[in-house]
Amino acid sequence: MHSDQPSAADDPAEVADDVDEAALARVMRTVPLGAAVLAGGAVALLVIGYLLIYLLIFIPRGTIG
Amino acid sequence: MTELHPEIHERRILGTELLWAFGVGVLISLTLAMIVFTALTMGINPPSNVERIDPKTLHLSGEFAEHNLGTTVGPDGSATVRIIATQFMFVPRCIAVPRGRRVTLRLATPDVIHGILITGTNVNTMVVPGYVAQVHTEFTRDGDLLMPCHEYCGFGHSEMWATVQVMTDNQFKPGADGRVSCAQR
């Protein structure tokens, strides 16, 4: 690269922070639990909604075929 | 804090994913089991009927000729209702059905695609030219229900609706010809 061309590395905001590997490992140990709680909660809400509509609205509306 | 060996870390992630897949598998199995259970014990199925009819002549003779439309009662007490859905009305505009007995709705159209639903029930089907739409059901409450066309069929679509009069056994009395019409109210 010629020195007269701009580089992203010239801007400090574009340069990645130094990563503390130990701190990253600590965070990564709890992230999967958070993801599981978030995904589990979302799926549980979906399933509860489906069951409520199925059992309280669809079934009482009578037989169909 | 001790660092995990990358291989152990990978194995933990795999374990979590397998656990998640197992949980989702259980949920899907339970949902399917519930659908199969209600189908077998309560007769709840998606309406399905493949029966051809010529849309050009359906009103001239045969099942959907004018004198056959409306409600007829079979020897077993079940009712069969024949309805034509056409731009922009149902013929007949009011149909009488019994409460607590098996009812078969049969619909055909000579023109474009229509659809029906009956408010407060699970009755819901398309009416496609060239085919007879058929729905089996049982009405659990008496009273007047609305049956609008739910498939846009043209400028008069919003005016296309019929009334379903669900009658008690006392009110649902077939005439000598085995037919029942709506009560005048």
Side-chain angles (χ1 to χ4, degrees):
Chain A
M1 184 188 286
H2 297 290
S3 58
D4 57 343
Q5 288 184 334
S7 164
D10 295 339
D11 183 359
E14 300 290 345
V15 180
D17 296 330
D18 287 336
V19 176
D20 179 351
E21 291 297 329
L24 182 64
R26 256 198 320 278
V27 169
M28 288 308 291
R29 207 160 288 140
T30 52
V31 162
L33 177 67
V37 169
L38 184 66
V43 171
L45 282 177
L46 191 71
V47 171
I48 289 169
Y50 167 79
L51 282 177
L52 287 178
I53 290 172
Y54 193 83
L55 298 174
L56 301 181
I57 297 176
F58 181 71
I59 295 289
R61 281 183 163 198
T63 175
I64 190 79
Chain B
M1 195 175 281
T2 56
E3 292 304 313
L4 279 178
H5 192 276
E7 200 174 303
I8 299 174
H9 190 61
E10 287 291 317
R11 214 175 296 152
R12 278 192 180 178
I13 290 175
L14 181 65
T16 309
E17 287 178 349
L18 287 176
L19 190 66
W20 177 258
F22 176 76
V24 170
V26 168
L27 278 180
I28 292 173
S29 303
L30 282 177
T31 309
L32 290 176
M34 205 162 67
I35 290 170
V36 171
F37 178 77
T38 51
L40 294 177
T41 60
M42 302 167 74
I44 295 180
N45 303 294
S48 173
N49 184 50
V50 179
E51 196 179 327
R52 300 297 304 262
I53 192 166
D54 185 0
K56 294 193 293 292
T57 57
L58 67 87
H59 59 297
L60 299 177
S61 63
E63 185 181 352
F64 288 92
E66 192 172 357
H67 62 275
N68 274 333
L69 299 178
T71 308
T72 53
V73 182
D76 60 347
S78 65
T80 302
V81 187
R82 293 180 178 86
I83 306 161
I84 285 187
T86 183
Q87 288 172 313
F88 297 101
M89 64 189 296
F90 291 102
V91 185
R93 293 210 64 162
C94 181
I95 61 174
V97 293
R99 187 187 69 186
R101 280 196 246 164
R102 186 176 167 84
V103 174
T104 301
L105 302 167
R106 288 174 61 77
L107 298 103
T109 172
D111 41 50
V112 299
I113 296 176
H114 300 274
I116 63 145
L117 59 81
I118 299 179
T119 50
T121 73
N122 285 326
V123 174
N124 189 329
T125 188
M126 303 291 292
V127 187
V128 181
Y131 293 89
V132 178
Q134 179 171 277
V135 181
H136 302 290
T137 190
E138 198 174 306
F139 294 91
T140 52
R141 282 174 298 172
D142 54 292
D144 287 7
L145 304 174
L146 191 63
M147 186 179 86
C149 177
H150 70 39
E151 182 70 28
Y152 182 75
C153 54
F155 286 133
H157 167 68
S158 59
E159 303 301 318
M160 185 173 169
W161 53 272
T163 304
V164 177
Q165 221 171 70
V166 186
M167 298 174 159
T168 60
D169 277 347
N170 287 339
Q171 299 165 318
F172 193 80
K173 300 278 187 212
D177 55 355
R179 308 183 70 79
V180 186
S181 301
C182 282
Q184 299 298 319
R185 291 179 180 167

